[in-house]
Amino acid sequence: MPERAGSVVSYAAGASLAAVALIYVFGPTFTLDADGSSSKKKTIVGLRNQANDCFINSVLQALAGLGDLRIYLIRETHRRRIENPSVYATIVQPDGQEMPAWKIQGMQDGLVTQGLKDMLDALNERPISKKAISPFPFVRVLETAFKQRISRQQQDAQEFLQIVADRLKDEYHAAQRARLFSKKAAVAGVAAAADADDDESTTQTTTPPSEISDSDVPFEFEDGFPMEGKYESHIKCQTCGYTTKPREETFCTLTLNVPQVNSTSLTSCFDGIFKTEFIDDFKCENCRLLQTVEHLEHEAAKSTSDAFKHRAQESIAKLKRAIQMDPECPPADIDLGDIRYAPKRRIAKTTRMTTFPKILAIHLSRSIYGVGMTQKNLAKVTFPEQLPLGGLADQRKYKLLGVVTHRGGHNSGHYEAFRRQNLPLPFPNANTFQQSGVYSKTPTPISTPEIAARQPDSSTISTPELLASSTPTSSTPSLESIPKSVPIGTSAAAASSTSSLKVKDAETSSLRSVAASTKSALSKLAKGDAGSIKGPRTPPNPLAKRPRRTKVAADRWWRVSDERVREAKTSEVLGMQKEVYLLFYELDRS
């Protein structure tokens, strides 16, 4: 008997451990508090502030909540791992630049990409108790990549974000150039082998990969760096009507100046860049050429020298050709006069975004520069949860996922991060057991679902198929899935099943009516008891206890201040109007 009792206790302990493991793996929303007490509150991993690291910690926490960034980091690190190492071993210089070999090699290897992935993976761990880690491993990766030490004395969070984002972008393009160079080398090798087979007696010259056109390489679509976007600007003269060529620039973080007012909005800050701006006293290149042509024509009309008239006519013809082709590239052999005497015009400057990034990182510049002093702009900036960008034809909608705030003055203060509690796939969802082909819930009387193994001869199920809705296998169907009537030609088994569903529906309706009547009676008793002054109080009924209201998932946020983590609501996040400094929006595909 003692052995049997011991085996029963061991079995119970093993079953409890298995249940806890199942909850931890498939239900990470259940955690324990720091004191070990069971609770429905959740927590995330914090970051220790060892040496004024709040500017690093806040940015890393905000980046950890961006799903598209995590997908990109996983894809890029996996691509470098599975491809031939020789692809990234060859140093490929960017066009028009000369960089040190060690720097290009580090970018092609993806040092910061791998380091940031490891850090964000650690921050997105699902702890069962309060936990904090150090950001120093990622800082050490940055210092290795740049061969410089990062100062930790009251640094700017925007500068740290800019360094990380630009380095990630450079590593992506460096790897892309290495892959393209490898493909060109393969094309050149195939072409050389084909020429050698055609004429073995003739010595063939191998074409270097750098001279092979990009069109000769098979096209392969790649999702670029999700934080990289592009905008272009052009200038139109209000006098002559000339419009300059669009100048395109790339960005990873978009800096918006906060006006010196009491309160403003994010839309007004955007207008400072993407709204047509009129500028006076601008020297138009086209007007300068037109003025030179007018001056030469006037001088030629007064001159009596045929040689001067001939030279003037040649210069006028060249200038008119430049006006038609490109006024910004005038003839070099013609004197246009001093730029100080060029005509001043009123121009309209227009800037628009041409490539919308998947992740829009916005920096609100609050610096006010004066004579011998710099102070912080404390204007309130309202920012929306849903941000539409673009025109009516190509409008994009972005969803707010992260915010970095700053409290204090211009030269000192503290950074905090807000990150939305979004759990992208493959984290738990309602269809984990019911709609996937791997895990199926069988109608068993126990509450723990049974995990069915995939058959060896079954075909591979792709991700869209796993996410697609299928026939529910739960033993308790929903009310919407019960047919109202049995169609003609239904089999006996289907008819009996339908009849049983109707019986269950009737039972459910009766139970609901009983519950409704009970609730009504309890409410009447409660009102009567509240209105009376004397008499015994009715003991509380467990059935009358109102169900606990659950928070909406989209309204849950984390407020992270280094190691301290607590929950917050969207209203609290949107209320940080005087402290908001960095905003992280992600493209809403819903």
Side-chain angles (χ1 to χ4, degrees):
M1 289 299 293
E3 294 180 359
R4 181 177 179 83
S7 62
V8 171
V9 172
S10 301
Y11 176 79
S16 301
L17 183 60
V20 171
L22 186 66
I23 292 174
Y24 178 72
V25 174
F26 295 103
T29 56
F30 178 84
T31 59
L32 299 177
D33 282 339
D35 57 357
S37 61
S38 175
S39 174
K40 290 185 179 180
K41 293 182 180 180
K42 302 181 291 295
T43 184
I44 57 173
V45 178
L47 287 169
R48 291 191 291 269
N49 191 342
Q50 299 170 326
N52 297 322
D53 295 336
C54 64
F55 73 99
I56 299 176
N57 297 345
S58 59
V59 172
L60 291 179
Q61 289 287 1
L63 296 179
L66 304 177
D68 281 337
L69 179 60
R70 294 196 64 196
I71 292 174
Y72 165 79
L73 296 175
I74 293 172
R75 184 183 70 242
E76 286 300 311
T77 53
H78 183 65
R79 175 182 291 173
R80 286 178 172 87
R81 189 178 298 112
I82 65 175
E83 285 186 345
N84 192 337
S86 62
V87 173
Y88 304 101
T90 305
I91 302 298
V92 182
Q93 292 282 352
D95 295 337
Q97 298 182 19
E98 189 69 24
M99 301 176 62
W102 63 267
K103 190 172 184 179
I104 296 180
Q105 187 63 62
M107 291 191 298
Q108 293 180 176
D109 292 339
L111 295 180
V112 179
T113 302
Q114 181 66 52
L116 184 60
K117 176 189 176 298
D118 296 339
M119 176 55 64
L120 298 191
D121 288 346
L123 290 177
N124 283 281
E125 180 189 347
R126 298 166 291 186
I128 60 176
S129 62
K130 184 178 179 181
K131 182 179 179 181
I133 60 176
S134 173
F136 182 72
F138 181 67
V139 175
R140 186 164 47 192
V141 170
L142 287 176
E143 292 176 345
T144 303
F146 290 98
K147 288 188 176 182
Q148 293 180 3
R149 185 182 180 276
I150 297 179
S151 176
R152 316 286 277 275
Q153 299 298 324
Q154 298 292 340
Q155 297 297 320
D156 189 6
Q158 186 271 337
E159 294 179 359
F160 178 76
L161 173 64
Q162 188 71 36
I163 291 173
V164 174
D166 287 344
R167 175 69 186 204
L168 292 175
K169 180 195 69 173
D170 294 340
E171 288 186 355
Y172 168 73
H173 289 293
Q176 189 182 37
R177 288 192 299 268
R179 290 190 290 266
L180 182 60
F181 184 84
S182 178
K183 293 176 184 178
K184 290 182 177 181
V187 171
V190 171
D195 293 341
D197 293 339
D198 293 341
D199 191 0
E200 297 181 356
S201 61
T202 305
T203 302
Q204 300 293 332
T205 303
T206 304
T207 304
S210 57
E211 297 182 4
I212 296 178
S213 175
D214 294 347
S215 59
D216 297 333
V217 180
F219 175 76
E220 180 183 357
F221 176 78
E222 292 184 5
D223 280 337
F225 180 52
M227 297 181 67
E228 183 179 8
K230 295 181 180 180
Y231 63 87
E232 66 177 19
S233 60
H234 63 268
I235 295 173
K236 182 177 182 180
C237 180
Q238 302 298 293
T239 301
C240 65
Y242 171 70
T243 303
T244 60
K245 297 179 181 178
R247 290 177 171 83
E248 191 175 60
E249 297 183 15
T250 62
F251 67 92
C252 292
T253 60
L254 202 60
T255 299
L256 305 179
N257 292 320
V258 179
Q260 298 183 31
V261 294
N262 292 329
S263 62
T264 183
S265 64
L266 185 63
T267 304
S268 299
C269 296
F270 267 106
D271 290 342
I273 295 181
F274 298 106
K275 188 177 181 180
T276 301
E277 179 184 7
F278 293 93
I279 304 174
D280 295 324
D281 298 336
F282 186 85
K283 296 177 180 180
C284 174
E285 294 292 337
N286 190 64
C287 290
R288 187 183 182 189
L289 298 184
L290 292 175
Q291 185 189 46
T292 305
V293 169
E294 182 180 356
H295 175 72
L296 289 176
E297 289 177 346
H298 180 71
E299 293 295 328
K302 294 191 306 179
S303 177
T304 58
S305 173
D306 294 337
F308 177 80
K309 291 182 178 180
H310 180 70
R311 290 194 304 270
Q313 292 298 329
E314 288 182 350
S315 299
I316 292 173
K318 291 181 180 179
L319 290 174
K320 289 184 177 180
R321 192 179 305 112
I323 292 173
Q324 294 178 357
M325 302 297 295
D326 187 4
E328 299 179 39
C329 296
D333 56 345
I334 298 179
D335 184 15
L336 300 179
D338 196 341
I339 188 65
R340 294 179 297 177
Y341 303 108
K344 297 179 181 180
R345 300 290 187 251
R346 178 180 175 86
I347 57 139
K349 181 181 179 182
T350 304
T351 305
R352 67 184 186 94
M353 194 178 297
T354 56
T355 301
F356 293 84
K358 293 181 180 179
I359 298 173
L360 182 62
I362 301 174
H363 163 229
L364 297 178
S365 179
R366 292 181 174 271
S367 299
I368 302 176
Y369 298 98
V371 179
M373 61 174 296
T374 305
Q375 58 182 354
K376 180 181 177 181
N377 188 349
L378 299 178
K380 293 183 179 180
V381 181
T382 59
F383 51 96
E385 189 177 2
Q386 301 287 338
L387 177 65
L389 284 183
L392 297 177
D394 58 345
Q395 189 178 76
R396 271 80 165 175
K397 292 185 178 180
Y398 287 86
K399 184 179 180 180
L400 183 65
L401 294 187
V403 178
V404 172
T405 61
H406 179 263
R407 293 178 180 269
H410 186 271
N411 298 320
S412 63
H414 182 66
Y415 290 99
E416 288 185 344
F418 291 84
R419 48 180 291 196
R420 189 183 292 273
Q421 295 186 26
N422 57 334
L423 295 178
L425 294 176
F427 291 105
N429 56 82
N431 304 325
T432 301
F433 297 105
Q434 296 184 6
Q435 297 184 358
S436 70
V438 181
Y439 306 106
S440 60
K441 185 175 181 180
T442 56
T444 57
I446 60 177
S447 59
T448 305
E450 295 182 356
I451 301 178
R454 180 179 291 178
Q455 300 297 331
D457 56 345
S458 62
S459 59
T460 304
I461 301 177
S462 61
T463 303
E465 293 172 349
L466 289 176
L467 301 180
S469 59
S470 59
T471 305
T473 58
S474 175
S475 59
T476 306
S478 61
L479 295 177
E480 289 79 8
S481 63
I482 300 176
K484 296 182 180 180
S485 61
V486 181
I488 301 176
T490 307
S491 61
S496 62
S497 175
T498 306
S499 62
S500 64
L501 291 177
K502 289 183 177 180
V503 172
K504 292 182 180 180
D505 191 9
E507 294 175 356
T508 306
S509 301
S510 62
L511 289 175
R512 289 181 177 177
S513 62
V514 172
S517 61
T518 305
K519 184 177 180 181
S520 176
L522 291 174
S523 63
K524 290 180 180 179
L525 289 174
K527 291 180 180 179
D529 185 42
S532 62
I533 300 177
K534 299 180 180 180
R537 292 181 58 87
T538 305
N541 195 324
L543 297 178
K545 186 178 181 180
R546 297 181 62 182
R548 186 175 180 180
R549 297 180 62 183
T550 58
K551 296 181 181 179
V552 182
D555 195 40
R556 295 175 178 174
W557 288 74
W558 295 119
R559 182 171 184 172
V560 190
S561 178
D562 297 328
E563 299 181 13
R564 298 184 297 274
V565 180
R566 69 175 182 86
E567 283 191 311
K569 292 184 177 181
T570 304
S571 58
E572 182 180 353
V573 177
L574 299 181
M576 307 296 291
Q577 299 176 4
K578 294 180 64 176
E579 298 84 7
V580 59
Y581 188 62
L582 297 176
L583 294 168
F584 296 86
Y585 286 90
E586 195 171 79
L587 194 62
D588 190 0
R589 298 175 180 83
S590 61

